[in-house]
Amino acid sequence: MESCHALILKELSVIRDHAGSACLRELDKSNSPLTMALCGSKGSFINISQMIACVGQQAISGSRVPDGFENRSLPHFEKHSKLPAAKGFVANSFYSGLTPTEFFFHTMAGREGLVDTAVKTAETGYMQRRLVKSLEDLCSQYDLTVRSSTGDIIQFIYGGDGLDPAAMEGKDEPLEFKRVLDNIKAVFPCQSEPALSKNELILTTESIMKKNEFLCCQDSFLQEIKKFIKGVSEKIKKTRDKYGINDNGTTEPRVLYQLDRITPTQIEKFLETCRDKYMRAQMEPGSAVGALCAQSIGEPGTQMTLKTFHFAGVASMNITLGVPRIKEIINASKAISTPIITAQLDKDDDADYARLVKGRIEKTLLGEISEYIEEVFLPDDCFILVKLSLERIRLLRLEVNAETVRYSICTSKLRVKPGDVAVHGEAVVCVTPRENSKSSMYYVLQFLKEDLPKVVVQGIPEVSRAVIHIDEQSGKEKYKLLVEGDNLRAVMATHGVKGTRTTSNNTYEVEKTLGIEAARTTIINEIQYTMVNHGMSIDRRHVMLLSDLMTYKGEVLGITRFGLAKMKESVLMLASFEKTADHLFDAAYFGQKDSVCGVSECIIMGIPMNIGTGLFKLLHKADRDPSPPRRPLIFDTNEFHIPLVT
């Protein structure tokens, strides 16, 4: 390792000394791996080096240049060549000029970037249009609910707390308490007031928060403030214990009371500021929360690449991310490209136990645990002999023996009767063919020989594989299973799996197994996970609104023309989206009516819409008639009164 470092340092000095085309000739002479190391660098060196040192490794679909001809990337190289130059490494710089093969590889990588950009623009543009169309008429009302134009309630309170994402200070939170407190301390020094002790601080806070002004704040927000104040009070106690400061103000020198000092005025001003900021952060009635949500999810989508990423912490397990994954989620696809079930174990600190549970879940075929499967011909009989590999079964921790194999063969689709399968000892199973009206004994025998290795002897047929994932975040190794496949119900029911802590990334599968609320949570978690993997953060209120819209009807509806038709009744709105002629024809044929209350319909008809300032209606215009007649109330009308019969 040290010699490698010395080599790299030596060659870096060559680059520094020659800083031009000469350095490349030096690199060519040494035929070094330095440039491979450089191309993985994240620093600014690579950008400068492209001009004066080397362009670096060209990546196509996240890997080196693939073989385009027979076992080689170009005919200029030997077959099976794994040299850096043959696999797309550009040792030259733009300053010295690229060789023809290097230039070709560089154009391959450049073409991929252009195609990716062009495809991504079309994909995200269409995705954002679908989002806007489905969310455009959602509006926050005066009763704090979020409703569609037809009055369907999507959320009882916007985002669970009724706060405006644009007014947030912290991560999805309306205030950063520490910053506000530091600001109050700086603005209001209150030097003549005494410092509060731990108990005084808590009592003062509780007495102030019992005032009527704080009734307008939600309990969850008040609890957050109390939690923060408790943390501050603990810090005060720790400081006073450390320096031996008593709470009655007699400790000398008096300057010690300045440590972690909070006065009654400061805490009062702090709580007032928190309340004011919270009230200012409330979402205003009439806000087009749907359109905001569509833009907040659609716009980051344009920043994503269309590539796949490795599943966090597991080699060889790719998971779809980026625009394709967001599309899968909002389309509510039933068959997603990489379904993964994360299963927590009952005993998560035992590797042997994890292997045992993995064997119960992962699909195991008869061919994988057999030493051989052969046809045996005797003078008076013929059968297929299956010899099990007991050593392999023991190593894989499988719960399989000759009897379970016999049961699996009989219950498989081979149509073999129990009487035709015989067990001899603990490792030998004989399957006797029976001729039928369609095929002779020989053909049945050949058919069995071909299909017996594909019989599932243990595990869930829908699961292609399970991977043991070691989690070392808490300091000690904890094991969980990552299962590639779809059957969430069967995985949850497997002995050894903690069913209450098992999740899947397939929304349809979760809805089918656990219900609509679990499906809603899955949509929220998956969109957030995809965005975080691309270094983007969306306010959770936007994602919650989208998932609520997709699930408020009691089933998961995708943001597609089919899902939209189930969400919205308006003919004009559906006609303005897709299949215009079909919608208009059907509406005319069935004599449908349109209430013209949504955004698209109002624009088409040229009338004011019911969102924003159009949400409220003026009952009376004062300039025309300064003294309007008093309207009779319903209860003043005699015809509505029922006379009492005595």
Side-chain angles (χ1 to χ4, degrees):
M1 192 69 183
E2 287 177 10
S3 62
C4 181
H5 281 163
L7 178 68
I8 288 175
L9 286 171
K10 178 186 169 191
E11 290 178 354
L12 280 171
S13 66
V14 169
I15 290 175
R16 191 180 63 243
D17 295 342
H18 295 78
S21 57
C23 76
L24 292 162
R25 285 192 287 279
E26 294 286 342
L27 284 174
D28 284 342
K29 281 179 205 167
S30 63
N31 195 18
S32 78
L34 166 71
T35 39
M36 291 297 282
L38 290 182
C39 71
S41 165
K42 289 263 170 72
S44 58
F45 181 80
I46 192 71
N47 299 327
I48 304 162
S49 74
Q50 286 185 352
M51 290 296 164
I52 62 158
C54 67
V55 176
Q57 178 67 47
Q58 302 302 298
I60 287 137
S61 299
S63 54
R64 299 207 295 169
V65 175
D67 292 341
F69 293 79
E70 222 174 286
N71 303 314
R72 52 185 165 182
S73 54
L74 285 174
H76 308 62
F77 306 104
E78 290 183 15
K79 286 189 178 182
H80 304 288
S81 173
K82 291 283 182 282
L83 289 173
K87 281 284 169 188
F89 183 70
V90 180
N92 279 308
S93 66
F94 295 134
Y95 180 82
S96 61
L98 277 60
T99 65
T101 52
E102 288 175 342
F103 183 78
F104 188 82
F105 291 142
H106 187 53
T107 55
M108 284 173 77
R111 165 72 64 85
E112 193 201 24
L114 288 173
V115 170
D116 190 46
T117 309
V119 171
K120 183 179 68 182
T121 310
E123 293 265 324
T124 54
Y126 180 50
M127 185 180 82
Q128 183 158 352
R129 180 170 182 272
R130 291 193 336 243
L131 282 170
V132 171
K133 268 296 176 197
S134 55
L135 287 152
E136 65 185 7
D137 62 339
L138 300 193
C139 172
S140 58
Q141 307 288 324
Y142 283 103
D143 60 356
L144 302 183
T145 59
V146 176
R147 300 183 188 231
S148 65
S149 57
T150 52
D152 294 345
I153 296 178
I154 311 297
Q155 287 183 324
F156 287 106
I157 183 165
Y158 174 68
D161 52 14
L163 300 181
D164 186 348
M168 297 299 102
E169 282 185 5
K171 175 82 179 69
D172 291 351
E173 297 300 329
L175 278 111
E176 277 189 70
F177 293 119
K178 187 178 181 306
R179 197 170 70 88
V180 173
L181 185 60
D182 291 344
N183 182 37
I184 293 293
K185 282 182 179 178
V187 176
F188 300 98
C190 303
Q191 288 164 358
S192 59
E193 291 187 23
L196 295 171
S197 67
K198 175 193 169 183
N199 293 335
E200 288 170 344
L201 177 62
I202 291 173
L203 290 170
T204 308
T205 304
E206 287 182 350
S207 66
I208 294 170
M209 287 171 74
K210 280 176 185 169
K211 291 181 182 176
N212 289 340
E213 297 100 274
F214 286 88
L215 291 175
C216 54
C217 299
Q218 278 194 342
D219 288 342
S220 56
F221 179 67
L222 297 178
Q223 289 303 323
E224 285 289 322
I225 295 178
K226 284 178 183 172
K227 186 178 168 187
F228 172 74
I229 294 295
K230 192 180 178 194
V232 173
S233 65
E234 291 295 336
K235 193 179 174 192
I236 290 172
K237 185 177 186 302
K238 203 178 284 182
T239 305
R240 292 196 172 184
D241 289 349
K242 184 180 176 182
Y243 295 105
I245 308 165
N246 62 33
D247 291 341
N248 53 22
T250 57
T251 305
E252 294 290 338
R254 300 299 299 272
V255 75
L256 287 171
Y257 286 101
Q258 297 295 321
L259 295 170
D260 289 327
R261 173 174 175 272
I262 294 183
T263 69
T265 304
Q266 285 175 345
I267 195 67
E268 192 176 347
K269 293 287 183 189
F270 168 73
L271 293 172
E272 274 180 27
T273 308
C274 287
R275 187 201 66 215
D276 292 347
K277 286 197 169 193
Y278 179 79
M279 293 310 294
R280 278 205 297 275
Q282 295 288 325
M283 179 57 87
E284 292 179 21
S287 298
V289 290
L292 284 172
C293 160
Q295 286 186 327
S296 301
I297 293 169
E299 194 277 333
T302 60
Q303 312 295 322
M304 289 183 184
T305 54
L306 283 167
K307 294 193 174 64
T308 58
F309 279 66
H310 274 292
F311 196 66
V314 180
S316 79
M317 188 176 264
N318 270 350
I319 181 167
T320 308
L321 282 182
V323 180
R325 179 70 186 127
I326 294 285
K327 269 183 67 185
E328 277 180 352
I329 299 165
I330 69 167
N331 288 359
S333 307
K334 288 188 178 180
I336 64 172
S337 51
T338 50
I340 290 177
I341 298 166
T342 307
Q344 303 283 353
L345 302 172
D346 285 336
K347 281 201 282 186
D348 57 3
D349 53 355
D350 186 354
D352 209 39
Y353 188 79
R355 271 194 291 275
L356 188 68
V357 179
K358 176 189 168 180
R360 290 173 188 159
I361 292 174
E362 197 168 39
K363 177 173 67 178
T364 307
L365 304 180
L366 182 56
E368 294 169 346
I369 57 161
S370 303
E371 277 185 28
Y372 56 80
I373 298 176
E374 288 182 353
E375 25 189 344
V376 178
F377 295 98
L378 299 175
D380 58 344
D381 196 9
C382 66
F383 54 85
I384 290 186
L385 184 70
V386 179
K387 174 79 161 54
L388 302 178
S389 172
L390 297 176
E391 179 65 15
R392 191 176 298 172
I393 291 169
R394 188 182 61 78
L395 285 173
L396 292 172
R397 299 300 309 271
L398 299 176
E399 294 155 331
V400 173
N401 56 38
E403 281 298 334
T404 65
V405 168
R406 177 174 180 259
Y407 178 77
S408 299
I409 292 170
C410 294
T411 54
S412 69
K413 294 179 181 176
L414 294 179
R415 296 201 188 97
V416 178
K417 290 177 179 161
D420 297 337
V421 184
V423 174
H424 301 288
E426 59 176 3
V428 178
V429 179
C430 295
V431 184
T432 308
R434 288 277 175 265
E435 64 180 340
N436 53 43
S437 57
K438 290 182 182 174
S439 50
S440 64
M441 178 85 81
Y442 178 75
Y443 284 114
V444 173
L445 187 77
Q446 294 304 317
F447 167 75
L448 281 175
K449 190 186 176 187
E450 189 179 334
D451 282 13
L452 269 175
K454 299 172 192 169
V455 171
V456 178
V457 290
Q458 192 180 342
I460 303 161
E462 292 88 351
V463 169
S464 52
R465 66 173 180 148
V467 177
I468 297 171
H469 177 52
I470 304 167
D471 192 5
E472 296 177 337
Q473 286 179 348
S474 56
K476 57 181 181 178
E477 291 188 349
K478 288 198 168 183
Y479 300 91
K480 65 179 179 183
L481 290 180
L482 298 173
V483 181
E484 272 187 23
D486 257 338
N487 200 336
L488 176 63
R489 184 175 171 184
V491 173
M492 287 172 76
T494 303
H495 185 63
V497 170
K498 198 179 284 182
T500 54
R501 299 282 310 282
T502 302
T503 58
S504 169
N505 64 351
N506 188 345
T507 312
Y508 174 73
E509 193 69 26
V510 171
E511 186 212 359
K512 197 172 71 177
T513 312
L514 297 171
I516 196 71
E517 283 293 330
R520 172 188 175 271
T521 308
T522 304
I523 293 170
I524 295 171
N525 293 341
E526 287 300 313
I527 292 177
Q528 292 282 38
Y529 177 78
T530 308
M531 290 295 181
V532 166
N533 264 293
H534 283 268
M536 296 164 194
S537 64
I538 303 178
D539 195 288
R540 62 185 169 82
R541 294 166 185 83
H542 297 311
V543 187
M544 283 169 75
L545 185 64
L546 176 64
S547 57
D548 277 322
L549 179 78
M550 289 174 68
T551 54
Y552 86 104
K553 289 275 190 185
E555 59 177 316
V556 179
L557 301 175
I559 310 292
T560 59
R561 66 178 79 126
F562 313 110
L564 210 65
K566 288 183 179 178
M567 284 182 211
K568 318 275 184 190
E569 284 91 47
S570 169
V571 179
L572 287 175
M573 191 263 141
L574 294 171
S576 71
F577 179 51
E578 278 171 16
K579 300 256 182 177
T580 307
D582 295 15
H583 284 299
L584 294 176
F585 180 82
D586 288 348
Y589 183 79
F590 292 108
Q592 283 176 255
K593 291 181 180 176
D594 198 315
S595 56
V596 190
C597 53
V599 173
S600 295
E601 306 96 283
C602 288
I603 293 172
I604 291 167
M605 303 302 291
I607 58 175
M609 62 183 76
N610 304 320
I611 277 190
T613 50
L615 180 64
F616 60 86
K617 299 285 176 280
L618 286 175
L619 293 176
H620 169 67
K621 292 193 175 178
D623 58 334
R624 292 184 186 168
D625 184 5
S627 55
R630 184 170 175 272
R631 289 189 305 160
L633 298 174
I634 288 176
F635 301 109
D636 293 344
T637 312
N638 287 330
E639 62 186 276
F640 293 120
H641 287 205
I642 302 169
L644 288 172
V645 179
T646 54

